[in-house]
Structure formats: C-alpha cells, structure tokens
Amino acid sequence: MTRFIVVRSLQIVILAVLTVSVLASCGEGNGSEVGRSVYDYIVGEPDLSTLEEAINLVDLLDQFAFDNPEGRDYTIFAPTNDAFEAFLQSQGASELDQLDPDVLSDVLKYHIVRDSL
C-alpha cells in the first residue's frame, strides 16, 4: 500500500508541479540527437540533476543509457529538480537515499516510453 502511495504521489507531483520534458524525441532538427543516449540528455540539463542522481542511486543507468543509432523515437517524462523536491517533502524525506530504492526504481522505469508521443 505504501509503495502505491509513493508511486502515485510522485506521478501527481510530476503532473501538478512541472511540465513534461520530452528529451530524445525533440531536438533542433539538425540530427545531432541520433546516437546519443537519453542519459546524455539528462546529464546535459542542469534542471535534471536530481534525476541523474536518482538513476545512479538505484543503478538504472542501463535503462536510460541505451543508444539511439537508428534515430528511433522514445520519450522520457523527466521529473525536474523541483518535482523531486516537492515529492521528497511530501514523503517526509530530504534526500533521495531516504526513499525505498525499489519504489524509486519502479517510478523511474515508469517514465520511459520507447515511442514518440
């Protein structure tokens, strides 16, 4: 039950607090995104540093570091630092490592859609 509440709370915070970031399916149209991993985009965005920390904390780099050699569309609904901060506060935590790693892992996996939306 707690796991459901945590997952549901993060979903609500993400939707209510900030905008959805579509990382890999958007670009400047110059083709530079082909061959880059989703993780490359996350590392390059200062407002996604908490997402980067969460990915590393629960060892999900392989889920976010897949290459895009064919220019395949995929979408990441990326919670920003502000969304993570609001979520942590709602859970009575101040740091990511205070959360259940399995729940955090499931929440992060939920945000990958291997298709364009």
Side-chain angles (χ1 to χ4, degrees):
M1 184 65 164
T2 302
R3 186 178 180 131
F4 174 78
I5 292 170
V6 170
V7 171
R8 191 67 183 147
S9 295
L10 184 56
Q11 291 171 345
I12 291 168
V13 168
I14 291 166
L15 293 174
V17 176
L18 293 168
T19 183
V20 173
S21 296
V22 180
L23 298 175
S25 63
C26 293
E28 308 246 339
N30 61 8
S32 63
E33 58 277 344
V34 174
R36 292 186 64 196
S37 74
V38 174
Y39 191 73
D40 292 335
Y41 287 93
I42 292 168
V43 170
E45 290 294 323
D47 199 34
L48 299 177
S49 62
T50 307
L51 176 59
E52 177 185 356
E53 179 184 348
I55 290 167
N56 290 316
L57 182 68
V58 295
D59 198 25
L60 281 181
L61 187 56
D62 61 326
Q63 295 291 315
F64 286 84
F66 55 87
D67 292 326
N68 189 20
E70 297 90 28
R72 181 175 165 194
D73 290 333
Y74 49 90
T75 303
I76 304 297
F77 296 94
T80 63
N81 294 345
D82 289 338
F84 271 110
E85 183 178 330
F87 174 67
L88 287 169
Q89 287 178 0
S90 76
Q91 299 303 307
S94 59
E95 300 291 330
L96 287 174
D97 59 5
Q98 295 172 327
L99 301 174
D100 180 337
D102 292 332
V103 171
L104 186 56
S105 177
D106 288 346
V107 168
L108 292 174
K109 289 176 185 176
Y110 182 79
H111 289 85
I112 301 174
V113 178
R114 295 196 182 207
D115 199 356
S116 63
L117 301 178

